Amino acid sequence: MNSRVLVIEDHPMDRELVVELVMQEGYAALEADSAEAGLGLAFAERPALILMDLQLPRMSGYEAIRRLKAHPTTAHIPVLALTASVVGAGIRKAGEAGADACLVKPLDTSNFRETLHRLLAGSAAA
């Protein structure tokens, strides 16, 4: 079973926290600090789940999600969008881009763990 989770986050402290939470749950973490690097890793490594920050430099997380969901290699991989925006429009826009779920930062760790396991369980069933 593929237990790798790709974390795409440009802020080092946020990325470190998310990677730590992923590893505490027993999953291996792949890391990228930009959408471009994350897309390359997603296509090459085909992780079981992608955690995508929405506010990234150059290419936004929204655009990266659209590209992932449009490509046959990665379309089936669930994407959990992470945003610091509490505005409902940002969460709705993440869903429209193809995100399977969206969580607001700072993360509620119990909600994060529950969502992580739910999406990975769905991924294993696919």
Side-chain angles (χ1 to χ4, degrees):
M1 181 184 135
N2 180 358
S3 61
R4 293 172 300 167
V5 175
L6 172 56
V7 178
I8 304 171
E9 168 64 67
D10 62 322
H11 292 99
M13 288 178 62
D14 288 348
R15 188 172 59 249
E16 189 177 309
L17 170 67
V18 173
V19 165
E20 181 64 29
L21 290 170
V22 166
M23 290 176 22
Q24 284 175 5
E25 296 305 304
Y27 302 104
L30 303 167
E31 301 178 49
D33 63 1
S34 69
E36 296 85 352
L39 288 174
L41 272 174
F43 295 133
E45 300 292 332
R46 298 182 185 161
L49 175 65
I50 299 169
L51 306 181
M52 176 77 69
D53 181 25
L54 295 175
Q55 303 303 316
L56 294 166
R58 296 179 304 279
M59 182 192 307
S60 74
Y62 301 106
E63 177 59 25
I65 293 168
R66 280 191 284 276
R67 291 184 187 197
L68 288 165
K69 293 301 184 175
H71 198 284
T73 302
T74 54
H76 68 283
I77 301 172
V79 176
L80 172 54
L82 304 174
T83 182
S85 170
V86 294
V87 180
I91 295 170
R92 186 185 75 250
K93 191 174 165 188
E96 290 169 355
D100 297 274
C102 187
L103 294 177
V104 176
K105 298 185 281 186
L107 293 172
D108 171 315
T109 55
S110 64
N111 190 24
F112 174 81
R113 286 182 173 101
E114 176 185 308
T115 305
L116 182 78
H117 289 291
R118 178 174 52 82
L119 290 174
L120 284 165
S123 170

